[in-house]
Amino acid sequence: MKSPRLGVNIDHVATIRNARGEKYPSPLRAALLAQKFGANSITIHLREDRRHIKDQDLREIKKKLKIPLNLEMAPTKEMLKISLKYEPRYVCIVPEKRSEITTEGGLNLKKNSNLIKKIIKTLKKKKIRTSLFIEPNIKDIKIAKKIQADCIEIHTGKICNLHNKKKRTKSEFKKIQKSVSFANNIGLEVHAGHGITFSSAKLLSKIRGIKEFNIGHFLIGESIFIGIKDCIKEFKKILAK
Ligand code: PXP
């Protein structure tokens, strides 16, 4: 069986840069290094408030990157316009609240399905692969299929949190496992992401059928200590099991 792909999210290189308003560390440099050391794609989240990645980063990374660029974006007119302008290979639609520290939960597909359906249809015309960031539940997976998303990305924040706190993960693990096989059975490609560390990646790698993992915060943080090359190597080794 083929190993899952690793998408490296470099948002937090921009967070560090923006903390001082300097030009370094450069998200482009991080993207190119991650590419060199085996990342299968690069993920960036262009937030409405531009708190980390800026439009200029998107422009530069899109221009220089050879592996697929995965743009995470909120389902808004502004973001649709930007994605049509830059044509990343992949788009992952995520919910966004200004006050949150990070993407705190999955999309509310029941409430937003008409708008998201339109966005998916428009992106598909440009051959952009679409993914929806959702909680592991069957109801949302059915809606994702109905509105013709290519993939779903399961929010792994809850299980990673429980795992970090050494709490029981069994019930959340089963929920994810069930969601992955249900989605695969109805023809959706499944990805996973949020809060993943080396240790929680080991746990999640036991779930068969996840084709792509998108990992950012821990990976960028750990790279300070062991370097981005070894960090990517270690994640790829864990996920290949
Ligand atoms: N996948 C999606 C859809 C996300 O929104 C994020 C966070 O931006 C990630 C993956 C990566 O999460 P983390 O930075 O916690 O690894």
Side-chain angles (χ1 to χ4, degrees), residues 163-224:
H163 181 77
N164 291 347
K165 290 182 181 151
K166 301 200 172 10
K167 289 188 176 165
R168 283 172 64 85
T169 52
K170 205 170 161 186
S171 123
E172 189 65 14
F173 185 88
K174 279 195 174 157
K175 226 195 261 178
I176 298 177
Q177 209 169 29
K178 203 172 137 200
S179 299
V180 174
S181 57
F182 183 83
N184 279 328
N185 285 339
I186 60 168
L188 283 166
E189 183 173 296
V190 181
H191 308 156
H194 213 278
I196 300 175
T197 61
F198 288 149
S199 180
S200 48
K202 278 181 198 149
L203 174 68
L204 291 164
S205 70
K206 292 184 187 138
I207 300 175
R208 294 287 152 229
I210 301 176
K211 295 279 177 343
E212 181 179 305
F213 285 84
N214 286 301
I215 306 177
H217 183 255
F218 175 86
L219 191 156
I220 297 303
E222 191 64 13
S223 296
I224 296 170

Side-chain angles (χ1 to χ4, degrees), residues 3 17 39-40 42 44 79 86-88 91 100 107 115 117-118 131 147 156 160 170 227:
S3 301
R17 175 196 59 190
N40 300 101
I42 297 296
I44 53 175
M79 287 300 153
Y86 293 105
E87 296 190 30
V91 160
E100 67 189 1
L107 287 161
L115 170 66
K117 188 178 176 182
K118 275 188 206 149
S131 179
I147 61 177
T156 53
C160 291
K170 205 170 161 186

Side-chain angles (χ1 to χ4, degrees), residues 9 11 45 72 92 94 103 133 153 193-196 214-217:
N9 179 317
D11 290 348
H45 184 176
E72 287 177 7
C92 180
V94 301
T103 315
F133 194 38
E153 178 160 332
H194 213 278
I196 300 175
N214 286 301
I215 306 177
H217 183 255

